[in-house]
Amino acid sequence: MKKIFISYSSVDEKYKDQMISHLSGLKHRGVIETWHNRDIIAGDVKSDEIDQNINQASVILLMVSPDFIGSSYCYGHEMKYAIQLHEEGRARVIPVMLRPCDIEGAPFDSLKSVPEKKWISQYGDKDSAFLEVVEQIKESIKETVPKKELVAKKDCAHKSSFFEWLNDTEVVLKSRATEVIKLDDIYIYPDLRGLDSDDESFLEVSSARLPESEGYTLVLGEEQSGKSALAKSLYKDAFSSGKKPIFIDAENLNESDIICLCDKEIKRQYNNIDCLSEIVPAERFLIIDNFASVSLNKRHQNILLDSIEREFSTCVILASDSFQYVIPDIEGMARFSVKEICNYSAPVG
């Protein structure tokens, strides 16, 4: 089922309702579901909820009117984010021309808009106008590519050198079946266990769940236990699910300002993003490897961890198992759930 996100000004509520009515056929057939800001549940954080649903959408409708253009949130936030997703090939943006206004030079000016001949408000038979929009949505749904398939085909978002590093197994492997063996070809997510318990009930289903939930996790492991391979796999899966992960090797971490650190890494990792402020909070996912090698003193480590909490709702830090002995001395680690990588073992019997 495809999600249709509707971005509109509250002044155009009646047009939004008419649009939803005309989408009822597709909804009843289980082809689509719709979402707009009136669907926010009381108590939810508005901007995060909106960003999450834009990110999940296959088609984004921009309900264009003078009030839409005049809205700093519709035009400056929702529309900007929608265009970014469209340019990355992760969603289709359709400008729906509601009421006459000046759109010359708008970011969506070059996109195919509907209706093509005149604004919906100028139609005597508005049902015919909305039917044109429905037909365009049907075409767009056929063209959308699943996000994981898109990433598998070609990654245009990342620097080529960084993308090659993500796929590097970092060991020499040979096979008659293929010239190059990538990390995805051989990697299996390990299980994680609470640090202070040997109880089997503490086993997680898989470390692959880490990108799916918010929170702060410290993953400890022995030397050669696969911590860096786990970091790479988490990065790729987070990106495939629509997040914008940022990887930092703590061996190169020499300051406590997470924004400056991320801005440097973003320029090294991404082609189409320049700084952390361009990534909406709901999409941010921070991964720090080799944290036991960080050169910062404990005071600056705490400053770093505090700044991470301000900027990220999801962070995974990986470190050698010896790091567990200094955790009590670092106050900022108190918010982290501590896990250890379970060693692979053969079944008994």
PDB file of all heavy atoms in Angstrom, residues 44-59:
ATOM      1  N   ASP A  44       1.255  14.018  20.212  1.00  0.00           N
ATOM      2  CA  ASP A  44       2.428  13.778  19.380  1.00  0.00           C
ATOM      3  C   ASP A  44       3.141  15.094  19.087  1.00  0.00           C
ATOM      4  O   ASP A  44       2.529  16.156  19.061  1.00  0.00           O
ATOM      5  CB  ASP A  44       2.034  13.127  18.046  1.00  0.00           C
ATOM      6  CG  ASP A  44       1.706  11.654  18.204  1.00  0.00           C
ATOM      7  OD1 ASP A  44       1.993  11.121  19.285  1.00  0.00           O
ATOM      8  OD2 ASP A  44       1.170  11.062  17.257  1.00  0.00           O
ATOM      9  N   VAL A  45       4.452  15.007  18.862  1.00  0.00           N
ATOM     10  CA  VAL A  45       5.223  16.186  18.477  1.00  0.00           C
ATOM     11  C   VAL A  45       4.940  16.464  17.013  1.00  0.00           C
ATOM     12  O   VAL A  45       5.220  15.645  16.148  1.00  0.00           O
ATOM     13  CB  VAL A  45       6.731  15.957  18.698  1.00  0.00           C
ATOM     14  CG1 VAL A  45       7.516  17.187  18.255  1.00  0.00           C
ATOM     15  CG2 VAL A  45       7.006  15.652  20.162  1.00  0.00           C
ATOM     16  N   LYS A  46       4.382  17.627  16.719  1.00  0.00           N
ATOM     17  CA  LYS A  46       3.860  17.901  15.383  1.00  0.00           C
ATOM     18  C   LYS A  46       4.904  17.766  14.293  1.00  0.00           C
ATOM     19  O   LYS A  46       4.722  17.020  13.332  1.00  0.00           O
ATOM     20  CB  LYS A  46       3.248  19.299  15.349  1.00  0.00           C
ATOM     21  CG  LYS A  46       2.646  19.661  13.991  1.00  0.00           C
ATOM     22  CD  LYS A  46       1.984  21.022  14.035  1.00  0.00           C
ATOM     23  CE  LYS A  46       1.389  21.385  12.675  1.00  0.00           C
ATOM     24  NZ  LYS A  46       0.738  22.696  12.684  1.00  0.00           N
ATOM     25  N   SER A  47       6.026  18.478  14.403  1.00  0.00           N
ATOM     26  CA  SER A  47       6.999  18.495  13.313  1.00  0.00           C
ATOM     27  C   SER A  47       7.598  17.115  13.074  1.00  0.00           C
ATOM     28  O   SER A  47       7.788  16.699  11.929  1.00  0.00           O
ATOM     29  CB  SER A  47       8.107  19.511  13.599  1.00  0.00           C
ATOM     30  OG  SER A  47       8.780  19.187  14.796  1.00  0.00           O
ATOM     31  N   ASP A  48       7.900  16.371  14.151  1.00  0.00           N
ATOM     32  CA  ASP A  48       8.468  15.035  13.996  1.00  0.00           C
ATOM     33  C   ASP A  48       7.482  14.090  13.323  1.00  0.00           C
ATOM     34  O   ASP A  48       7.856  13.281  12.474  1.00  0.00           O
ATOM     35  CB  ASP A  48       8.873  14.464  15.360  1.00  0.00           C
ATOM     36  CG  ASP A  48      10.125  15.133  15.913  1.00  0.00           C
ATOM     37  OD1 ASP A  48      10.755  15.904  15.165  1.00  0.00           O
ATOM     38  OD2 ASP A  48      10.456  14.893  17.081  1.00  0.00           O
ATOM     39  N   GLU A  49       6.209  14.181  13.704  1.00  0.00           N
ATOM     40  CA  GLU A  49       5.179  13.322  13.118  1.00  0.00           C
ATOM     41  C   GLU A  49       5.011  13.629  11.632  1.00  0.00           C
ATOM     42  O   GLU A  49       4.874  12.723  10.803  1.00  0.00           O
ATOM     43  CB  GLU A  49       3.858  13.537  13.862  1.00  0.00           C
ATOM     44  CG  GLU A  49       2.717  12.652  13.393  1.00  0.00           C
ATOM     45  CD  GLU A  49       2.791  11.250  13.957  1.00  0.00           C
ATOM     46  OE1 GLU A  49       3.766  10.939  14.663  1.00  0.00           O
ATOM     47  OE2 GLU A  49       1.877  10.469  13.673  1.00  0.00           O
ATOM     48  N   ILE A  50       5.022  14.908  11.287  1.00  0.00           N
ATOM     49  CA  ILE A  50       4.893  15.301   9.881  1.00  0.00           C
ATOM     50  C   ILE A  50       6.091  14.812   9.078  1.00  0.00           C
ATOM     51  O   ILE A  50       5.939  14.213   8.009  1.00  0.00           O
ATOM     52  CB  ILE A  50       4.742  16.834   9.762  1.00  0.00           C
ATOM     53  CG1 ILE A  50       3.384  17.273  10.326  1.00  0.00           C
ATOM     54  CG2 ILE A  50       4.870  17.281   8.307  1.00  0.00           C
ATOM     55  CD1 ILE A  50       3.206  18.776  10.413  1.00  0.00           C
ATOM     56  N   ASP A  51       7.308  15.038   9.588  1.00  0.00           N
ATOM     57  CA  ASP A  51       8.516  14.606   8.881  1.00  0.00           C
ATOM     58  C   ASP A  51       8.527  13.097   8.665  1.00  0.00           C
ATOM     59  O   ASP A  51       8.912  12.605   7.600  1.00  0.00           O
ATOM     60  CB  ASP A  51       9.764  15.016   9.665  1.00  0.00           C
ATOM     61  CG  ASP A  51       9.992  16.516   9.649  1.00  0.00           C
ATOM     62  OD1 ASP A  51       9.376  17.193   8.799  1.00  0.00           O
ATOM     63  OD2 ASP A  51      10.768  17.010  10.482  1.00  0.00           O
ATOM     64  N   GLN A  52       8.106  12.359   9.671  1.00  0.00           N
ATOM     65  CA  GLN A  52       8.085  10.899   9.567  1.00  0.00           C
ATOM     66  C   GLN A  52       7.151  10.448   8.449  1.00  0.00           C
ATOM     67  O   GLN A  52       7.482   9.548   7.668  1.00  0.00           O
ATOM     68  CB  GLN A  52       7.643  10.290  10.896  1.00  0.00           C
ATOM     69  CG  GLN A  52       7.567   8.763  10.879  1.00  0.00           C
ATOM     70  CD  GLN A  52       7.071   8.202  12.202  1.00  0.00           C
ATOM     71  OE1 GLN A  52       6.973   8.907  13.194  1.00  0.00           O
ATOM     72  NE2 GLN A  52       6.754   6.930  12.216  1.00  0.00           N
ATOM     73  N   ASN A  53       5.992  11.084   8.337  1.00  0.00           N
ATOM     74  CA  ASN A  53       5.024  10.671   7.324  1.00  0.00           C
ATOM     75  C   ASN A  53       5.400  11.144   5.924  1.00  0.00           C
ATOM     76  O   ASN A  53       5.113  10.454   4.943  1.00  0.00           O
ATOM     77  CB  ASN A  53       3.624  11.157   7.716  1.00  0.00           C
ATOM     78  CG  ASN A  53       2.987  10.268   8.760  1.00  0.00           C
ATOM     79  OD1 ASN A  53       2.423   9.226   8.442  1.00  0.00           O
ATOM     80  ND2 ASN A  53       3.097  10.650  10.026  1.00  0.00           N
ATOM     81  N   ILE A  54       6.047  12.307   5.811  1.00  0.00           N
ATOM     82  CA  ILE A  54       6.572  12.707   4.498  1.00  0.00           C
ATOM     83  C   ILE A  54       7.600  11.680   4.037  1.00  0.00           C
ATOM     84  O   ILE A  54       7.610  11.250   2.884  1.00  0.00           O
ATOM     85  CB  ILE A  54       7.232  14.103   4.551  1.00  0.00           C
ATOM     86  CG1 ILE A  54       6.213  15.189   4.869  1.00  0.00           C
ATOM     87  CG2 ILE A  54       7.903  14.423   3.213  1.00  0.00           C
ATOM     88  CD1 ILE A  54       6.808  16.585   4.953  1.00  0.00           C
ATOM     89  N   ASN A  55       8.454  11.276   4.955  1.00  0.00           N
ATOM     90  CA  ASN A  55       9.528  10.345   4.631  1.00  0.00           C
ATOM     91  C   ASN A  55       8.992   8.988   4.172  1.00  0.00           C
ATOM     92  O   ASN A  55       9.620   8.293   3.374  1.00  0.00           O
ATOM     93  CB  ASN A  55      10.426  10.166   5.856  1.00  0.00           C
ATOM     94  CG  ASN A  55      11.660   9.363   5.552  1.00  0.00           C
ATOM     95  OD1 ASN A  55      12.397   9.672   4.630  1.00  0.00           O
ATOM     96  ND2 ASN A  55      11.889   8.313   6.316  1.00  0.00           N
ATOM     97  N   GLN A  56       7.821   8.599   4.672  1.00  0.00           N
ATOM     98  CA  GLN A  56       7.236   7.306   4.322  1.00  0.00           C
ATOM     99  C   GLN A  56       6.394   7.364   3.047  1.00  0.00           C
ATOM    100  O   GLN A  56       5.979   6.322   2.536  1.00  0.00           O
ATOM    101  CB  GLN A  56       6.353   6.815   5.478  1.00  0.00           C
ATOM    102  CG  GLN A  56       7.117   6.498   6.757  1.00  0.00           C
ATOM    103  CD  GLN A  56       6.190   6.253   7.932  1.00  0.00           C
ATOM    104  OE1 GLN A  56       4.987   6.542   7.880  1.00  0.00           O
ATOM    105  NE2 GLN A  56       6.733   5.717   9.012  1.00  0.00           N
ATOM    106  N   ALA A  57       6.159   8.556   2.526  1.00  0.00           N
ATOM    107  CA  ALA A  57       5.232   8.717   1.399  1.00  0.00           C
ATOM    108  C   ALA A  57       5.852   8.296   0.075  1.00  0.00           C
ATOM    109  O   ALA A  57       7.039   8.502  -0.171  1.00  0.00           O
ATOM    110  CB  ALA A  57       4.768  10.167   1.318  1.00  0.00           C
ATOM    111  N   SER A  58       5.024   7.704  -0.779  1.00  0.00           N
ATOM    112  CA  SER A  58       5.421   7.408  -2.155  1.00  0.00           C
ATOM    113  C   SER A  58       5.068   8.566  -3.078  1.00  0.00           C
ATOM    114  O   SER A  58       5.761   8.817  -4.062  1.00  0.00           O
ATOM    115  CB  SER A  58       4.717   6.137  -2.641  1.00  0.00           C
ATOM    116  OG  SER A  58       5.104   5.015  -1.883  1.00  0.00           O
ATOM    117  N   VAL A  59       3.971   9.253  -2.760  1.00  0.00           N
ATOM    118  CA  VAL A  59       3.528  10.408  -3.541  1.00  0.00           C
ATOM    119  C   VAL A  59       3.218  11.547  -2.580  1.00  0.00           C
ATOM    120  O   VAL A  59       2.573  11.337  -1.545  1.00  0.00           O
ATOM    121  CB  VAL A  59       2.280  10.083  -4.389  1.00  0.00           C
ATOM    122  CG1 VAL A  59       1.785  11.327  -5.113  1.00  0.00           C
ATOM    123  CG2 VAL A  59       2.577   8.969  -5.386  1.00  0.00           C
TER     124      VAL A  59
END
